[in-house]
Amino acid sequence: MAEETLLKSFSLGQRLAGAIVLGLIAWPLGTELDRSLAVGNDPQLSVIILVSFVLIGLVATPYLTKLAAKIIISSSQNVASSKILASTIGLISGLVVAILISVPLSRLTDWPGVWFPIILTLLFAIIGGAIAVNREEDLLSLFPRLQNSSTSGGKSNSKMALDTSAIIDGRIANISHTGFVPGEFIIPTFILDELRHIADSSDSVRRNRGRRGLEMLNKLRKDSGTPVQVLEVDRWEGQEVNAKLVLLAKSLHAPIVTTDFNLNRVAEIQDVHVLNVNELANALKSVVLPGEEMELSVIQEGKESGQGVGFLDDGTMVVVEGGRRLLGTTVDVSVTRVLQTAAGRLVFAHPIAS
């Protein structure tokens, strides 16, 4: 309730500010029009212009400010923070120079005293910003601390864009809960829309996957040690979800977290770094060396004659030569060789004679 009241007050403040600013612009404009049209002392035209501008300010200001904020945020996502800092310094420097030059020029009579300072202000602001961006490194070298923070920020981006497949998979939530994932997860709104569409699917398998994804997302936001930011993205209309995600990750200079093999390849072609959860899972599997002995439960038959199959705690398949006769028992085996395949590791072993 308090939050709603605060938002209403803020919106009302925006409207009043817009009405006042436009009113201040409208009054001299109406007065100048009265004078140029030789209306005389009749202030009717000035009042009409003033009231019109005030009404426009009251109605349109919240929408205009929201639109401007969207444009600024959308544009700044593709710009490095060092460039924003450099352009700001250049803009301020240009404005200071323009003010110093405009003070004597403002004393000129008639229109040159009005328009020359305005033109010079705009011109020097643009020139100052352009020069500062062009000489960004030289400018930041004057501020060693800012340069160090900018350099360190450019080397590693703490943001990671989450794909639908990684959310549904759920392992990233467990990994994040351990504290091994630094930085921040970025979930664009089109990924949320895709999850919602999957959860509303008429196919029961897709529906269950979508609901699991929403549950994992809720778990990620509540229990994870990694912050989660939902990013509103309204660009790249007409592109499919994977293409949008690649473009977003490229603009943010952030890696994509996924389990989708095809997305992995497409992103790599476009020079976007990918963090594949399956590759992480394979890398974290326990190391098994030839000659190592272990205890294994043989739970099923192998493909070849006489083979038995068991599994390690991390899911690695172990093929036991001559293990078919030991089906349903727990035996000591010795590792003979380890094969690395596209699907993961495959371990071969033989029973140790008792």
Side-chain angles (χ1 to χ4, degrees):
M1 192 68 181
E3 187 178 351
E4 290 181 3
T5 306
L6 183 62
L7 289 173
K8 287 180 180 178
S9 302
F10 180 70
S11 178
L12 180 61
Q14 280 184 313
R15 293 178 190 275
L16 291 175
I20 293 170
V21 170
L22 289 183
L24 293 173
I25 295 172
W27 183 252
L29 178 63
T31 305
E32 187 66 29
L33 284 174
D34 277 343
R35 189 181 304 159
S36 62
L37 295 174
V39 176
N41 295 325
D42 185 8
Q44 184 177 1
L45 181 60
S46 298
V47 173
I48 291 174
I49 294 175
L50 176 63
V51 172
S52 301
F53 273 54
V54 169
L55 289 176
I56 291 172
L58 286 172
V59 174
T61 301
Y63 303 102
L64 292 176
T65 52
K66 186 177 180 181
L67 178 62
K70 274 189 176 181
I71 293 172
I72 292 170
I73 292 171
S74 177
S75 302
S76 63
Q77 285 178 348
N78 301 330
V79 182
S81 58
S82 57
K83 288 190 181 296
I84 296 175
L85 179 62
S87 61
T88 303
I89 294 173
L91 180 65
I92 294 172
S93 303
L95 289 174
V96 170
V97 174
I99 290 171
L100 294 175
I101 298 176
S102 298
V103 169
L105 291 177
S106 64
R107 296 178 182 177
L108 296 174
T109 58
D110 210 356
W111 64 268
V114 176
W115 289 105
F116 276 2
I118 294 175
I119 294 171
L120 284 175
T121 300
L122 294 175
L123 185 63
F124 275 90
I126 294 171
I127 291 174
I131 292 175
V133 170
N134 190 41
R135 308 297 299 180
E136 175 189 347
E137 293 183 2
D138 296 337
L139 185 62
L140 290 180
S141 65
L142 301 175
F143 307 95
R145 291 186 180 180
L146 294 177
Q147 189 178 32
N148 291 337
S149 62
S150 174
T151 305
S152 62
K155 287 181 180 178
S156 60
N157 195 337
S158 59
K159 294 182 178 180
M160 293 167 282
L162 278 184
D163 175 42
T164 311
S165 62
I167 297 173
I168 293 175
D169 178 79
R171 285 177 292 178
I172 191 65
N174 298 329
I175 296 169
S176 175
H177 186 66
T178 63
F180 276 96
V181 181
E184 180 181 33
F185 287 134
I186 300 295
I187 303 176
T189 48
F190 55 79
I191 292 292
L192 293 180
D193 291 338
E194 185 180 39
L195 275 174
R196 181 173 54 82
H197 287 313
I198 296 174
D200 293 338
S201 174
S202 57
D203 182 72
S204 60
V205 176
R206 281 179 56 83
R207 186 167 60 249
N208 290 334
R209 283 174 55 82
R211 289 177 179 174
R212 171 179 167 78
L214 293 175
E215 289 175 4
M216 290 297 104
L217 182 59
N218 190 43
K219 178 182 177 182
L220 194 63
R221 297 189 68 177
K222 287 185 176 180
D223 303 333
S224 169
T226 305
V228 177
Q229 178 190 356
V230 177
L231 188 63
E232 187 174 347
V233 180
D234 53 5
R235 292 183 289 171
W236 310 302
E237 293 296 331
Q239 299 271 12
E240 63 172 347
V241 173
N242 284 353
K244 283 184 181 180
L245 188 63
V246 172
L247 290 171
L248 176 65
K250 199 167 188 177
S251 67
L252 295 176
H253 305 288
I256 297 174
V257 181
T258 185
T259 60
D260 188 337
F261 179 81
N262 294 326
L263 175 60
N264 199 140
R265 292 292 174 263
V266 170
E268 286 179 349
I269 290 172
Q270 299 188 45
D271 295 326
V272 175
H273 184 48
V274 178
L275 302 175
N276 195 309
V277 180
N278 291 330
E279 292 179 359
L280 176 63
N282 287 332
L284 291 177
K285 286 183 177 180
S286 55
V287 177
V288 180
L289 301 175
E292 187 174 342
E293 297 180 358
M294 65 182 72
E295 193 176 65
L296 183 73
S297 296
V298 183
I299 59 174
Q300 65 186 55
E301 297 180 8
K303 288 184 178 180
E304 302 296 331
S305 176
Q307 288 182 341
V309 173
F311 296 90
L312 300 180
D313 292 337
D314 58 13
T316 302
M317 179 184 289
V318 181
V319 178
V320 182
E321 301 293 347
R324 183 176 181 180
R325 56 186 174 81
L326 302 171
L327 198 64
T329 62
T330 300
V331 295
D332 293 325
V333 297
S334 176
V335 176
T336 56
R337 56 197 173 107
V338 179
L339 294 181
Q340 183 67 47
T341 67
R345 283 186 303 173
L346 187 61
V347 179
F348 289 88
H350 63 79
I352 298 175
S354 55

